[in-house]
Amino acid sequence: MAAACGRGLLAPLGGRLRACPRASLRSLTSAAPLYDVVVSGGGMVGSAMAAALGHDIHFHDKKIALLEAGPRKEYHLPESYSNRVSSISPGSATLLSSFGAWDHVCNLRCKPFRRMQVWDACSEAIITFEKDDLDDMGYIVENDVVMSAVTKQLDAVADRVEVFYGSRAVGYTWPLPSHSCDTSPWVQVELADGRRLQTKLLIGADGHNSVVRKEAEIQNIEHQYDQSAVVATLHLSEATDNNVAWQRFLPTGPIALLPLSDTASSLVWSTSHEHASELLTMDKESFVDSINSAFWSNVNHSDFIDAAGAMFRSALSLLKPSGTAVRQLPPSVANVDPESRAVFPLGMGHATEYVRHRVALIGDAAHRVHPLAGQGVNLGFGDIACLTHHLSAAAFNGQDLGSLKHLLRFETERQRHNVSLIAAIDLLKRLYSTSLSPLVLLRTWGLQATNALPPVKTEKLKKELIDLKQRTQEEHRKLEDYYTQQIKELEEKFQKKVGEISQIQLELNLIKEFRREKAAVEKELEDLKKSIKISNRKHQEEVVQLERRFLEEKKRLEEDAEKKLMMTREAAQHEAVLKSPRV
Amino acid sequence: MKALFFCFPHSLIMRNVFSRRISAISFMTWLSLLRATVRRLLSTSQSSVDPKEMRKFQLLAHRWWDEQGEYSALHSMNDIRVPFIRDTVLNMGSAYQRGSPLSGVKILDVGCGGGLLSEPLGRLGASVTGIDPLEENIRAADQHKSFDPVLAKRIQYKCGSLEEIVEESVETFDVIVASEVVEHVADLEMFIKCCSQVLKPGGSLFITTINKTQLSYILGIVVAEKIAGIVPEGTHEWEKFVPPEELERLLEANSCSVKTVNGMLYNPLTGSWSWIESTSINYALHAVKSGDQAQTSQTEPLSEMESEQCSATAGTSV
């Protein structure tokens, strides 16, 4: 039933999905822990992917697992430099700083470089890359330093990201795309020690021999170059301001000197297998001599090429007299670190598909390039940035993380970016692997032209940029002055207003006091009036009383007087009476 | 009653007509009551579910989770309706927890089908209850969520219609989502009333549906069903499409105020949805139930002030 519905649903989806080879019973697998994302492979790219997801805000409550076959390593910065270094582009540095790892890298050890000079061994053609301003073109960092920085950031989110050290995945079981069947819809991962994990999304970051890619049966276009790379840590004959990366294209392959410090540089020499093993076994002096002659000797020059090159250069100088970029001389090597010589084979690879239902490939599992452009790990970091962006958006929309919808968007975006770059690097490698005159001539002229014209452009652009900057600075200054003036005027006005306001406030206070006093005075007035009225009344009453008393007294006195008068009259009458009868 | 009193003196003439009318009316009501009870007994659930619609969806119950199958348009609609719901709920001011923007929010997904919308909302942290009248749909939804322990805890599916859960869950949900449902419902008024009853005061109601215009007939029925086969034939009936004005009227009648209406457009070439200005074809609507809580909280400070004033005057008068 499971197989039938699986095949029935294959038709509309074409070859992108396959029926699972082993259908597992739900009862067995329901015990296996379920993770939202499992990253298989704990190298620089795999660990950085797990760290980026772990630090993402929308993955705050999700479970992530990282499977690493090696043991956990405690890293202590050694005195000598490691022989495996990478050139980290500014974009990759931005990704590493997005989850806080770049600070650790800078604290440990990292060398920024500002310029890159690339030239041909068969002619005088040269091209330099550099950025204007004081921006760094890139950073040379030891791989161990990057790993340690990323591991530290992984430890910081250990509640979300579980790292399985010493675990190797031996088998994967892919789910059927539709869920009408009873089988588990998740990817089953079987580890070497028998443990099982389930996951909604499996990210394969396990290198160019990716097991994930093989098990998912994704076709891989690959090609082994007939070259091996020799790496070593070199000491320069004299301390110099070592901030230029040097690369010379020899007919056997490019030799590159990457700065590590003022006295040390890292060697990456891609050459034939036989020469590589020779270089590995020869003694120190001959090794150093062969490096110096590779950078300095002109044995591959032919007169014809030189003449043609000189002619072209003079023609170019007629067109634009400012001349080609200044040619710097590479440093000479004095010594090589013992035990630092190593060889590893080179190849090119590109997976036809980066994603399947619930599977995504990043880093070397998806694409493998020649180190001549220093892009290998930067492409991987670019994959991480893109995939994290899409997964974060999907998590914020509540979508199923393993859904092909957003995985396909990631694949389209990255393939568009990667395929052209990988093809160009491969083309460059093939173009520079020959010393046939016509091809050498072609690439010489090409290189000279590219070097000559961009300096024109870049010089003009540089001048324009500088002018523009000056102009904008002047405008800024003018604006600043204007605004400061305005601010001053406004401040003066403001101060005046403040003064006026304070005066007004004082007067207001005075008015308030006045009002208060007025109220008090009025009250006093009222009281006085009342008291006057009262006293008036009393006065009147008293006057009335006095009048009455006076009148009473007067009456009494009058009565007394009358009485007395009557009495005297009577007395007089009496007397008169007394006197009269005698007669 | 007044009319009765007026016609009473005339009723001597009209009595036989009146009584015949009364008997006719009583007979009709008895018959309709009988019909209604019979229908209620026979149907699995009550009036807002249409049995014809249920039969249509029964045939496709196992196709829910095929992202390239018959329901692919609904799968890709999640790309715009989930952010719409999520952002609106976040803007309403609930505390944002990192990683689960909808945690603590109780959502009811009416007509959840196979759980296409319930699962993303559950992944964002909400506790979702999904209801659907069709048993097969609930089974498919339950089976799909059972593989993910986090979702299995957060989402509950129940078979039944909205009316059946109204009695036991009055005012329990913060958000109700009825996406692509109201154009299949038999009694829209009852549906909206039940939604309003089950929603907490101040809660949000999200509806996505199809407008009833000539354009929606041409594009939604003729092109989508018959020509391009985006939707299986017979899924939609133009008569049951709901214009946003009618939905607004019903919502206002049930004390829900409409906050946003946005038009949506499906591009069959890319298989993706986008927001557009015009609501002539598909549209999404967000309404908020007016909060009784909000009203009481407004009156409380007023009464406090009044009591203060009373005490102040009382003091001075004494």
Side-chain angles (χ1 to χ4, degrees):
Chain A
M1 217 289 261
C5 65
R7 251 179 268 125
L9 296 156
L10 267 183
L13 296 150
R16 191 167 269 282
L17 303 133
R18 282 186 103 260
C20 55
R22 320 151 239 205
S24 31
L25 293 167
R26 212 188 332 156
S27 52
L28 268 179
T29 54
S30 57
L34 174 63
Y35 290 89
D36 291 283
V37 178
V38 164
V39 182
S40 178
M44 277 196 285
V45 173
S47 312
M49 181 83 225
L53 285 179
H55 284 262
D56 187 271
I57 185 173
H58 298 130
F59 272 73
H60 194 83
D61 58 350
K62 307 254 188 287
K63 287 169 64 178
I64 304 164
L66 175 63
L67 302 175
E68 165 57 27
R72 188 193 166 98
K73 286 182 230 157
E74 287 303 322
Y75 184 67
H76 305 285
L77 194 66
E79 273 288 323
S80 57
Y81 287 89
S82 153
N83 58 3
R84 296 302 304 268
V85 303
S86 304
S87 155
I88 306 285
S89 67
S92 306
T94 311
L95 170 76
L96 288 173
S97 64
S98 75
F99 54 88
W102 188 243
D103 288 329
H104 298 313
V105 169
C106 293
N107 290 338
L108 283 170
R109 206 152 54 189
C110 122
K111 182 83 175 98
F113 64 92
R114 302 237 171 86
R115 213 160 151 261
M116 185 166 167
Q117 181 166 302
V118 178
W119 71 109
D120 200 341
C122 302
S123 75
E124 291 294 314
I126 185 175
I127 186 166
T128 56
F129 302 94
E130 62 185 328
K131 274 201 189 174
D132 317 310
D133 335 342
L134 299 166
D135 274 355
D136 300 320
M137 256 193 87
Y139 309 88
I140 305 293
V141 188
E142 295 154 82
N143 291 0
D144 289 335
V145 168
V146 175
M147 269 310 302
S148 152
V150 174
T151 311
K152 225 185 265 185
Q153 287 308 99
L154 272 179
D155 292 338
V157 285
D159 53 339
R160 266 164 263 158
V161 182
E162 214 179 309
V163 186
F164 291 81
Y165 287 104
S167 64
R168 204 169 35 92
V170 294
Y172 299 99
T173 310
W174 310 116
L176 290 172
S178 165
H179 307 293
S180 55
C181 315
D182 241 350
T183 54
S184 165
W186 316 126
V187 177
Q188 315 292 326
V189 181
E190 201 182 317
L191 301 179
D193 56 2
R195 278 184 295 182
R196 303 189 83 113
L197 307 170
Q198 297 187 79
T199 176
K200 297 178 189 170
L201 174 65
L202 175 69
I203 299 182
D206 40 357
H208 61 263
N209 286 322
S210 167
V211 175
V212 173
R213 190 186 64 218
K214 284 198 196 107
E215 290 282 322
E217 299 183 359
I218 295 178
Q219 245 201 333
N220 189 34
I221 301 169
E222 57 184 349
H223 175 81
Q224 298 298 329
Y225 293 130
D226 278 329
Q227 285 186 344
S228 303
V230 178
V231 291
T233 312
L234 308 172
H235 293 281
L236 308 176
S237 33
E238 55 191 31
T240 163
D241 202 11
N242 198 8
N243 56 8
V244 182
W246 310 95
Q247 177 149 285
R248 193 177 197 199
F249 281 104
L250 306 171
T252 49
I255 177 170
L257 209 62
L258 305 171
L260 289 171
S261 73
D262 286 344
T263 52
S265 285
S266 181
L267 171 80
V268 181
W269 191 347
S270 318
T271 179
S272 64
H273 297 302
E274 305 82 32
H275 191 214
S277 38
E278 253 185 66
L279 285 170
L280 197 59
T281 48
M282 60 169 70
D283 56 303
K284 274 209 288 192
E285 287 79 19
S286 0
F287 185 66
V288 167
D289 284 339
S290 43
I291 295 176
N292 282 323
S293 72
F295 270 112
W296 292 86
S297 90
N298 290 334
V299 70
N300 285 310
H301 286 203
S302 75
D303 295 328
F304 169 60
I305 298 289
D306 279 348
M311 184 186 72
F312 193 65
R313 239 203 326 276
S314 46
L316 275 178
S317 59
L318 284 175
L319 283 175
K320 44 130 241 104
S322 53
T324 55
V326 169
R327 184 203 192 85
Q328 266 186 282
L329 297 171
S332 67
V333 177
N335 202 0
V336 60
D337 250 356
E339 316 293 328
S340 72
R341 279 187 261 175
V343 172
F344 55 92
L346 298 176
M348 169 273 213
H350 190 247
T352 50
E353 299 164 85
Y354 288 0
V355 298
R356 280 276 170 86
H357 182 60
R358 301 203 186 283
V359 182
L361 297 174
I362 58 171
D364 276 1
H367 40 68
R368 181 191 182 199
V369 292
H370 197 279
L372 66 86
Q375 288 306 306
V377 80
N378 293 314
L379 285 178
F381 285 137
D383 291 344
I384 294 176
C386 183
L387 186 57
T388 311
H389 166 75
H390 283 112
L391 287 180
S392 180
F396 193 46
N397 283 346
Q399 284 171 8
D400 182 359
L401 286 174
S403 157
L404 260 180
K405 250 194 307 184
H406 51 267
L407 290 179
L408 279 175
R409 271 183 238 140
F410 153 72
E411 183 191 65
T412 317
E413 217 181 290
R414 285 313 288 171
Q415 280 196 337
R416 245 182 241 157
H417 176 268
N418 292 347
V419 169
S420 40
L421 191 59
I422 294 168
I425 294 174
D426 193 58
L427 180 65
L428 266 181
K429 187 247 165 233
R430 286 172 203 279
L431 187 61
Y432 277 94
S433 306
T434 170
S435 45
L436 293 176
S437 303
L439 285 171
V440 174
L441 202 59
L442 191 72
R443 74 193 192 210
T444 305
W445 283 348
L447 204 59
Q448 282 180 328
T450 336
N451 197 35
L453 297 177
V456 173
K457 274 202 211 143
T458 53
E459 274 195 33
K460 243 204 285 177
L461 286 173
K462 265 190 238 178
K463 275 205 215 107
E464 277 182 25
L465 247 173
I466 295 175
D467 282 335
L468 201 70
K469 274 196 195 152
Q470 276 181 344
R471 253 184 285 144
T472 46
Q473 274 182 2
E474 276 185 44
E475 276 181 31
H476 277 166
R477 253 180 272 131
K478 270 196 227 152
L479 276 172
E480 262 186 60
D481 292 334
Y482 175 64
Y483 281 126
T484 41
Q485 218 191 359
Q486 291 238 325
I487 288 174
K488 267 197 224 130
E489 283 175 20
L490 283 171
E491 272 189 28
E492 279 173 30
K493 280 196 206 159
F494 183 64
Q495 289 297 332
K496 267 195 239 157
K497 295 286 179 200
V498 163
E500 283 178 20
I501 285 175
S502 57
Q503 279 187 349
I504 290 175
Q505 273 190 342
L506 282 170
E507 291 187 4
L508 218 114
N509 286 341
L510 283 173
I511 288 176
K512 274 197 204 147
E513 277 188 45
F514 173 68
R515 275 214 203 111
R516 250 183 280 134
E517 286 184 9
K518 176 173 145 196
V521 163
E522 273 182 3
K523 230 201 286 172
E524 275 189 48
L525 242 170
E526 289 279 335
D527 290 336
L528 280 172
K529 273 195 199 158
K530 271 198 210 136
S531 59
I532 284 179
K533 264 197 219 153
I534 290 172
S535 57
N536 260 358
R537 232 186 293 139
K538 274 200 203 141
H539 205 73
Q540 275 188 357
E541 279 174 12
E542 277 183 17
V543 162
V544 163
Q545 261 190 4
L546 277 173
E547 267 191 21
R548 227 189 298 138
R549 254 200 268 153
F550 173 67
L551 284 171
E552 276 178 14
E553 282 285 320
K554 190 167 121 186
K555 228 198 290 181
R556 200 169 44 88
L557 282 173
E558 278 184 359
E559 283 177 3
D560 273 350
E562 266 196 43
K563 259 196 219 151
K564 269 205 186 130
L565 214 97
M566 278 198 38
M567 277 178 61
T568 43
R569 228 191 270 154
E570 277 186 15
Q573 265 189 342
H574 216 64
E575 282 215 21
V577 164
L578 277 175
K579 272 184 190 170
S580 64
R582 275 197 210 162
V583 171
Chain B
M1 286 301 285
K2 277 203 189 133
L4 272 173
F5 281 130
F6 275 123
C7 65
F8 211 57
H10 309 279
S11 67
L12 291 164
I13 313 162
M14 299 178 45
R15 200 192 295 157
N16 23 2
V17 178
F18 202 53
S19 57
R20 233 185 285 152
R21 221 176 278 162
I22 288 177
S23 58
I25 290 168
S26 59
F27 180 69
M28 291 301 286
T29 48
W30 178 84
L31 199 60
S32 59
L33 263 173
L34 178 69
R35 226 180 279 151
T37 44
V38 168
R39 206 189 306 140
R40 214 169 288 155
L41 285 170
L42 287 180
S43 65
T44 54
S45 44
Q46 285 176 11
S47 44
S48 76
V49 177
D50 191 345
K52 272 196 297 161
E53 303 275 358
M54 301 231 301
R55 243 173 285 134
K56 267 190 278 182
F57 284 101
Q58 213 157 12
L59 299 166
L60 294 168
H62 57 286
R63 308 291 298 151
W64 279 107
W65 285 99
D66 185 0
E67 288 191 19
Q68 271 80 25
E70 282 85 349
Y71 291 113
S72 59
L74 281 180
H75 276 277
S76 53
M77 202 197 277
N78 277 344
D79 290 342
I80 61 167
R81 57 185 173 174
V82 173
F84 177 54
I85 297 171
R86 171 200 77 207
D87 291 340
T88 313
V89 172
L90 280 178
N91 280 338
M92 309 253 295
S94 39
Y96 174 70
Q97 243 194 42
R98 297 168 118 226
S100 32
L102 293 182
S103 81
V105 179
K106 291 187 68 182
I107 303 186
L108 173 69
D109 186 3
V110 184
C112 59
L116 261 60
L117 182 52
S118 309
E119 291 209 358
L121 294 175
R123 279 194 205 104
L124 290 178
S127 334
V128 185
T129 306
I131 60 171
D132 199 274
L134 202 54
E135 179 73 38
E136 284 87 345
N137 286 349
I138 298 292
R139 231 182 295 137
D142 262 326
Q143 204 228 18
H144 191 259
K145 75 154 192 193
S146 62
F147 293 106
D148 186 342
V150 168
L151 281 185
K153 255 194 299 175
R154 287 201 190 131
I155 307 179
Q156 305 300 327
Y157 290 115
K158 290 199 191 124
C159 180
S161 74
L162 188 54
E163 292 86 1
E164 282 166 19
I165 70 158
V166 162
E167 294 93 44
E168 65 215 24
S169 31
V170 175
E171 297 204 352
T172 42
F173 292 103
D174 300 294
V175 175
I176 295 186
V177 177
S179 183
E180 306 301 304
V181 163
V182 298
E183 69 262 23
H184 298 285
V185 151
D187 184 353
L188 188 57
E189 274 194 56
M190 162 82 91
F191 183 81
I192 300 288
K193 192 157 75 87
C194 293
C195 282
S196 172
Q197 281 174 322
V198 178
L199 197 53
K200 275 191 198 156
S204 288
L205 174 60
F206 293 92
I207 296 180
T208 77
T209 183
I210 311 182
N211 198 347
K212 189 174 178 181
T213 59
Q214 285 191 337
L215 194 59
S216 75
Y217 181 75
I218 298 169
L219 290 180
I221 303 223
V222 176
V223 173
E225 293 186 10
K226 303 199 167 71
I227 301 180
I230 300 166
V231 176
E233 206 167 323
T235 306
H236 291 129
E237 274 170 59
W238 190 75
E239 291 303 316
K240 297 180 93 173
F241 285 173
V242 184
E245 297 81 28
E246 174 158 342
L247 211 49
E248 262 194 72
R249 183 181 62 81
L250 287 169
L251 287 166
E252 301 284 337
N254 282 295
S255 67
C256 293
S257 72
V258 174
K259 299 284 177 196
T260 331
V261 181
N262 282 332
M264 314 193 308
L265 181 67
Y266 181 66
N267 181 343
L269 299 170
T270 60
S272 62
W273 289 85
S274 51
W275 295 112
I276 55 171
E277 280 291 320
S278 139
T279 58
S280 326
I281 320 165
N282 293 73
Y283 62 94
L285 182 148
H286 169 235
V288 174
K289 178 170 170 182
S290 62
D292 294 321
Q293 275 177 3
Q295 284 175 359
T296 50
S297 63
Q298 273 176 7
T299 52
E300 269 168 23
L302 279 177
S303 55
E304 274 177 28
M305 277 168 58
E306 282 177 334
S307 60
E308 273 179 32
Q309 280 179 354
C310 287
S311 58
T313 50
T316 50
S317 62
V318 165

